[in-house]
Structure formats: structure tokens, C-alpha cells
Amino acid sequence: MRRISVFGSTGSIGENTLNLLTPGSVQVVALTGGGQVDRLAAQARRFDAEIAVTAYPECYAALKDALSGTRTQVAAGADAVAEAADRQADWVMSAIVGAAGLVPGMRALAQGGTLALANKESLVTAGPVLMASAARHGATILPVDSEHSAVFQALTGEDPAGVERVILTASGGPFRTWSAERMAAATPAEAVAHPTWAMGQRISVDSASMFNKALELIETREFFGFDPDRIEVIVHPQSIVHALVGFRDGGMMAHLGPADMRHAIGYALNWPRRDHVPVARLNLAELGQLTFEAPDEARFPALRLARAVMEVRGLSGAVFNAAKEVALDHFLAGGVGFADMAAIVDVMLDRLSGEMRRDNTLLTLEDVVAMDHLARRTTEYTVRHRHWQR
Ligand code: NAD
Ligand code: MG
């Protein structure tokens, strides 16, 4: 039986992943979550998981209690999450949100199986390390971000030398038509109200600021290896076309589908075959029209900042992501405004620019983790003293 682990199983991607699995037809190895103990325990019971891990040590007793009488082992803490990735599995879903997903993903790659990668932060912070590790261990990384799955599908059977450009679509988020002034005063509740996709809270805010698309630009650069000037973003409010690949002969391949992550997850699950996935089928006549517009980098500076990271590479992605995560925490807590998030990341890229440049081939996981910690501490300090307001 196929052995499957899901990291971040209690989240939006995690639940969609389990939704595609049938208990008894796969062996679920590890399921991991954070504070949603009841949900994690219910999942572990349903799939008779070998181990359930909560990232929070204070949740250990509650999880242990909720799984009493089952065969499922229980563990807690960040180290236990990483150790769960050492358990042999054929297919591992990496769906923890944020840089916390990096180490478990790296550990899973060392087994040489398939890593379905939803955690885009892994590629943003440690792209060269991750890709080298996959090559070294003979592991396969399959992108689960909808745009990257779309590009991957459009590239299947194609010679990369024939590719001229890759175009990622962006919904534009809830603030697509808002003025800069109105956006600056946006609340967390307004920012999480995504028009087309149902996602976790953090990625929803990142979509509103287009930090999500910024991360995806970097993710594209790192995963597919295309030069930054070949990677574009187009705003497409209907979220039906997920990405396009343009070839040297002027033709373009577009990937279309409903805004339902189970397609990209199912593709990674069934790859290289295609199998039935229970997503709605598109009715193009009913949709009537698909529209496209250029992104506005003045209102969405995250896109411009991503361009800088794509050029520098090295440890700049780790700085970009850590600063963004800390700024997002403060936005959600009400301490900084919506537009301040990009301003903070901008200042942090500037402040740590001397330490970011590295030979990508020599980059290590330890370098990335150390820079992640340094950038978090520096960003916390910067926010606390409001030093980004120059
Ligand atoms: P979510 O917030 O719904 O779930 C996150 C999961 O990670 C939960 O299981 C949570 O318990 C766990 N988690 C959070 N902090 C943790 C920590 N410090 N240590 C260990 N576990 C922790 O997030 P999501 O929307 O499912 O997104 C997951 C990942 O997939 C993100 O990297 C996101 O960018 C990416 N992604 C999501 C979507 C989507 O539609 N939701 C689409 C593309 C990519
Ligand atoms: Mg995406």
C-alpha cells in the first residue's frame, strides 16, 4: 500500500489532501498540525495514522488524550514534526504554512520519494538547497501551488529550450480596484476576504497584498530555473486560467480549471498518470468571458521587491520571507497597517543586503535557517521601534 504523510494536515491544503484519500486504500504515516487538536485527532482516527504530531508542546496532553485507545503514536514540538518526516513514505504533502515547513520538507526529500510541495516558502527561502537535495537523493518535487502545477503541466513533453516566457495569473485579491489610500487603511478582516479562493488566513492576506504572487515569482524562478525576465504576472480576476507558457514559435499553452486546490493536489497525487478528481467541471459558455489586466506595481510593491530577490538569490529570499512573515503577524495583530508590510520588507532587504549575497551552489540549510532567525529578530526590532518609517 502507498505510504503517505501530510505535514500541515489540519490546514486548508492538508484537509483538501485528505479529502482525496480513501481510508484503507493508503497507509497514512504521519499527520501534523498546530493547535487544532480535535481536528488532528479526528483525521488520525479516520486514517488510522501511524503518528500524529502537534507542533505545539503545550498541546501534547490534549492530543494524547484525544487519541487514547487508538494505535496512533503521539508527539509534540518542532523537532517531533521534523522527525516524523524521517519515517519512510512514498508521497509526502508539504503543507505547513511559512518557513516552518522547510526543515520537514528537506528531511522528507532525503528518503528519495515524492514531495508534493504546497509550502512555497521552502523554495523562496532555500530554492537551491532544496533542488540540490532532491537531485542528490533521487527525490521528485511536484509543485502544488496552482500556478506552478499549471506551468508544470503545460511544460510536460516540451523542451525547456523552446520556452520564451512563463505567465502566472493573479486574481488581484480583494483590493484589486481599491485606491492606495483605501488599501493603506485596510483591516485584516477585509484582507482575508478573498474573492475566488478559499485558503488559510495568512496566504489570503498575502494574496490581498500580492505578496503571495511575489513569493510565486521567486518560486517559479527557483523551481523551473527560468531567468527572471521571462517570468511575468497578469491579473485575471476570474481565477480560471492558472498560468500560461509562451513558446519560441509564438504559441501559448494555458492551463484552465476551477479555483479548487484539489485539482493541483490530485495531479501531484496521481502523477504521472491522470485520474478522476472530484472538482467541478468548467462551463465556458456560462463563464462567458475571461478578463486580463496588467498588475499595478505602485499599489502592489511586493511584486517589485520579488524582482530584486530573483536577481540576488542567495539568502535574499530568506530575508524577504522572514520579514514578510513578521510584518504579517503585526498586521494581523493590529500593530502595523496594510501598506506598511511592503515598506517593512523593503527596509529589511536594504538593511541586510550586505549579508544576502551568496554563491547559490554553496548555500546550506543551516545558512538559510540562520538568516531566517536573524531576519526575524531584525524585523521585530525594526517594527517595535517603527524604524521602517523613514
Ligand atoms: P493553513 O493556515 O490553512 O494551514 C497551515 C498548516 O500548517 C496547519 O496544519 C497548521 O497547523 C500548520 N502550522 C502552522 N504553523 C506551524 C508551525 N509553526 N509548525 C508546524 N505546523 C504549523 O495554510 P494553507 O492555506 O493550507 O497553506 C499551506 C501552505 O500551502 C502555505 O505555504 C501556502 O502558501 C501554500 N498554498 C496554499 C494554497 C491554498 O489554497 N490554501 C494554495 C497554494 C499554496
Ligand atoms: Mg498560487
Side-chain angles (χ1 to χ4, degrees):
M1 222 186 289
R2 206 170 181 204
R3 293 174 59 81
I4 291 182
S5 288
V6 182
F7 289 80
S9 65
T10 56
S12 171
I13 294 289
E15 291 230 287
N16 275 315
T17 304
L18 294 181
N19 178 273
L20 295 177
L21 303 177
T22 311
S25 69
V26 292
Q27 174 60 51
V28 169
V29 181
L31 297 177
T32 82
Q36 287 159 307
V37 169
D38 292 343
R39 185 178 293 180
L40 181 58
Q43 293 176 342
R45 279 180 184 274
R46 177 154 186 263
F47 285 93
D48 190 19
E50 290 180 10
I51 186 166
V53 188
T54 165
Y56 304 143
E58 64 274 20
C59 293
Y60 175 80
L63 184 62
K64 182 87 188 151
D65 192 44
L67 284 169
S68 68
T70 69
R71 293 186 306 175
T72 302
Q73 292 174 34
V74 173
D79 289 345
V81 173
E83 277 159 26
D86 297 338
R87 293 191 173 225
Q88 195 274 321
D90 307 301
W91 191 89
V92 175
M93 168 55 77
S94 168
I96 290 173
V97 64
L102 174 60
V103 171
M106 281 292 291
R107 299 265 284 254
L109 281 179
Q111 298 185 34
T114 298
L115 184 70
L117 190 65
N119 179 268
K120 60 191 82 185
E121 296 88 346
S122 301
L123 279 167
V124 169
T125 58
V129 186
L130 207 73
M131 299 308 281
S133 173
R136 196 164 59 246
H137 293 106
T140 303
I141 301 178
L142 296 174
V144 171
D145 217 338
S146 56
E147 298 77 2
H148 304 73
S149 174
V151 171
F152 187 88
Q153 293 180 50
L155 285 174
T156 298
E158 300 288 349
D159 178 355
V163 175
E164 212 166 57
R165 57 207 280 236
V166 169
I167 308 175
L168 309 179
T169 58
S171 70
F175 305 151
R176 180 174 63 88
T177 59
W178 288 30
S179 68
E181 295 69 36
R182 194 172 166 212
M183 272 167 62
T187 65
E190 289 169 325
V192 297
H194 199 276
T196 49
W197 292 94
M199 307 182 287
Q201 180 193 45
R202 300 182 71 86
I203 183 175
S204 296
V205 176
D206 285 348
S207 295
S209 60
M210 289 189 88
F211 261 110
N212 182 49
K213 211 49 57 181
L215 294 171
E216 291 181 359
L217 280 168
I218 304 165
E219 186 186 5
T220 306
R221 199 258 166 276
E222 296 299 334
F223 184 78
F224 296 103
F226 296 123
D227 287 340
D229 60 358
R230 293 176 183 268
I231 311 171
E232 305 169 25
V233 171
I234 188 110
V235 174
H236 166 48
Q238 296 84 17
S239 300
I240 297 295
V241 178
H242 301 308
L244 306 97
V245 176
F247 296 95
R248 287 175 68 179
D249 56 9
M252 284 171 118
M253 297 288 281
H255 179 283
L256 284 73
D260 185 334
M261 286 307 294
R262 291 177 304 170
H263 168 74
I265 297 166
Y267 180 81
L269 193 59
N270 298 322
W271 182 88
R273 292 186 312 121
R274 286 194 186 260
D275 208 341
H276 175 81
V277 175
V279 297
R281 271 42 180 170
L282 290 180
N283 182 330
L284 292 176
E286 226 165 64
L287 280 168
Q289 55 178 344
L290 302 176
T291 61
F292 301 90
E293 55 197 66
D296 179 354
E297 292 197 4
R299 281 186 306 130
F300 298 101
L303 297 174
R304 177 177 53 77
L305 299 174
R307 295 269 164 212
V309 172
M310 290 161 88
E311 292 298 339
V312 174
R313 299 185 69 204
L315 292 169
S316 63
V319 174
F320 181 84
N321 181 68
K324 190 278 293 175
E325 287 194 27
V326 172
L328 174 56
D329 289 339
H330 284 277
F331 171 67
L332 291 173
V336 308
F338 184 78
D340 292 332
M341 289 190 284
I344 290 166
V345 174
D346 197 353
V347 164
M348 294 314 303
L349 285 172
D350 212 36
R351 191 153 298 169
L352 292 171
S353 62
E355 282 126 285
M356 291 178 336
R357 286 182 192 275
R358 289 294 159 89
D359 180 339
N360 292 297
T361 59
L362 300 178
L363 213 58
T364 66
L365 181 61
E366 291 69 33
D367 294 335
V368 173
V369 171
M371 181 50 97
D372 176 69
H373 291 168
L374 173 67
R376 278 171 204 274
R377 280 200 310 277
T378 316
T379 311
E380 284 291 355
Y381 181 89
T382 300
V383 171
R384 190 152 312 128
H385 295 87
R386 303 195 83 76
H387 277 173
W388 78 90
Q389 294 165 326
R390 21 184 190 194

